[in-house]
Amino acid sequence: MSDKGEYQRDLNYIPDRITADGRDGWPVEPGRYRLIVARACPWANRAVIVRRLLGLEPVLSMGIAGPVHDERSWSFDLDPDGRDPVLGIERLQEAFFKRDPDYPRGITVPAFVDVPSGQVVTNDFAQMTLDMSTEWTAYHRAGAPELYPEKLRDEIDDVAQKVFTDVNNAVYQCGFARSQEAYDHSYTKLFSRLDWLSERLADQRYLVGDTITEADVRLFTTLVRFDAVYHGHFKCNRQKLTELPVLWAYTRDLFQTPGFGDTIDFPQIKEHYYVVHKNVNPSGIVPLGPDVSGWLTPHDREQLGGRPFGDGTPPGPPVESERVPAL
């Protein structure tokens, strides 16, 4: 928290990477690593989507923590006996402490865990999805989209940084602000960027180029949570997403694209934010709304052209154990 009451995210994550050449000591190997996520978390949701789109399910297993955690860690309360069935741990904290018994920072998802040793490899959410696209190519499914094409990387990086600073993180800065000045600044920054995004997307289907890229994944996970939690819970209330015609249609377009909406669990999302953030919602009451049936209504964005998967194909249906409740 800054002197002015502005929420400041700790971006010091474990920097190790899983790479094709294993230069950090963690070579890409089928079955060796487990991706730990929580359906509620937008940062983890990115990794879930990218893994689905690239078809890495057969070589990279996924553990799903429950939506509610305490100050110690995310826990595996959704699993039988409250333990991850592969790692055998009750809390993600255990994997961090195996790596460093004195680990001093927050226990965050997503995280890659080395199954043989039980140690966390990295929780650097921004790099993890890029590496899934660029380092795991030998195991991408046939027809996997190119989410981080080399010729567009500078533009993707630029847009993604704007989205992170002014949207992904700004909603939290609104919600956790400790002064009117800090809240006003974050609110203005957020909606100015949403206006900019609306203008950018008014005549193009996707953020960069004519196909889905990493930039779209990063924006989607915030927008899909906007009306359910950020509008009310975090006071991001100039408009709802449903009142921003371009962004509402854009987000519905992605939601209805295989690999996006089929990763979203609205009940878990709401339970996490409204129960865990006691400083924002002391009662712990989880709202029944909003109505989510609109997510499946026509968006008409295909009129703008674009090819969601480029020369590739959509992913198949989620594996049975990873399905979310249908709307």
Side-chain angles (χ1 to χ4, degrees):
M1 198 67 65
S2 75
D3 293 340
K4 295 183 178 180
E6 183 178 66
Y7 169 69
Q8 295 180 321
R9 183 175 298 278
D10 182 356
L11 294 174
N12 291 300
Y13 299 102
I14 299 173
D16 288 10
R17 295 171 58 190
I18 299 171
T19 57
D21 63 7
R23 56 186 176 272
D24 284 356
W26 307 104
V28 170
E29 293 180 15
R32 176 170 175 178
Y33 305 100
R34 188 156 174 82
L35 171 64
I36 302 300
V37 301
R39 294 286 188 195
C41 174
W43 318 101
N45 196 178
R46 300 174 174 192
V48 178
I49 292 170
V50 169
R51 174 178 172 269
R52 278 269 294 127
L53 296 179
L54 300 179
L56 291 174
E57 294 98 328
V59 298
L60 178 62
S61 68
M62 186 169 76
I64 304 174
V68 177
H69 63 75
D70 58 21
E71 68 280 357
R72 289 175 292 171
S73 178
W74 296 89
S75 57
F76 297 100
D77 48 280
L78 301 178
D79 290 306
D81 303 321
R83 290 183 178 274
D84 179 85
V86 172
L87 300 174
I89 58 177
E90 294 180 342
R91 295 175 176 274
L92 181 56
Q93 183 184 59
E94 296 173 54
F96 280 75
F97 286 171
K98 276 203 172 182
R99 171 71 181 261
D100 177 1
D102 300 314
Y103 185 73
R105 300 185 180 279
I107 309 299
T108 62
V109 289
F112 281 137
V113 177
D114 177 50
V115 175
S117 68
Q119 297 181 31
V120 67
V121 175
T122 182
N123 60 338
D124 186 349
F125 65 88
Q127 189 62 50
M128 288 169 65
T129 50
L130 298 182
D131 285 344
M132 289 163 76
S133 281
T134 60
E135 301 291 337
W136 290 73
T137 53
Y139 301 102
H140 289 181
R141 66 178 176 85
E146 198 171 0
L147 299 176
Y148 196 50
E150 192 164 356
K151 66 181 180 180
L152 296 177
R153 286 181 188 175
D154 287 346
E155 187 176 1
I156 291 171
D157 290 345
D158 177 64
V159 171
Q161 185 57 46
K162 289 181 171 69
V163 167
F164 171 78
T165 302
D166 299 343
V167 181
N168 301 146
N169 198 47
V171 294
Y172 285 86
Q173 291 178 320
C174 287
F176 295 151
R178 296 289 180 87
S179 72
Q180 190 69 49
E181 179 185 4
Y183 167 75
D184 290 353
H185 172 74
S186 299
Y187 177 100
T188 301
K189 176 173 64 172
L190 167 65
F191 282 99
S192 293
R193 184 59 67 191
L194 291 179
D195 290 342
W196 180 85
L197 288 164
S198 290
E199 292 178 11
R200 184 181 182 93
L201 290 164
D203 57 4
Q204 65 184 64
R205 191 170 179 185
Y206 303 110
L207 279 173
V208 181
D210 67 348
T211 65
I212 291 167
T213 67
E214 175 81 18
D216 297 293
V217 175
R218 296 188 180 199
L219 178 58
F220 171 80
T221 60
T222 295
L223 294 185
V224 77
R225 289 163 171 77
F226 202 88
D227 288 5
V229 289
Y230 302 142
H231 177 271
H233 184 58
F234 278 175
K235 307 180 185 69
C236 301
N237 61 357
R238 191 189 78 179
Q239 287 135 312
K240 297 177 181 177
L241 178 67
T242 54
E243 297 166 346
L244 297 168
V246 171
L247 293 181
W248 174 223
Y250 164 80
T251 314
R252 293 201 323 279
D253 185 5
L254 291 176
F255 187 90
Q256 294 170 31
T257 299
F260 284 84
D262 55 29
T263 71
I264 301 300
D265 188 316
F266 284 114
Q268 288 198 31
I269 288 169
K270 291 192 296 182
E271 184 178 358
H272 168 73
Y273 283 90
Y274 285 99
V275 172
V276 171
H277 299 155
K278 293 293 188 183
N279 58 327
V280 179
N281 185 45
S283 71
I285 294 172
V286 180
L288 295 176
D291 179 11
V292 296
S293 61
W295 284 102
L296 302 180
T297 59
H299 53 76
D300 300 324
R301 294 279 294 178
E302 60 276 339
Q303 296 177 9
L304 297 174
R307 303 172 300 149
F309 301 100
D311 295 328
T313 57
V319 299
E320 183 63 35
S321 62
E322 297 177 6
R323 292 183 187 274
V324 299
L327 295 186

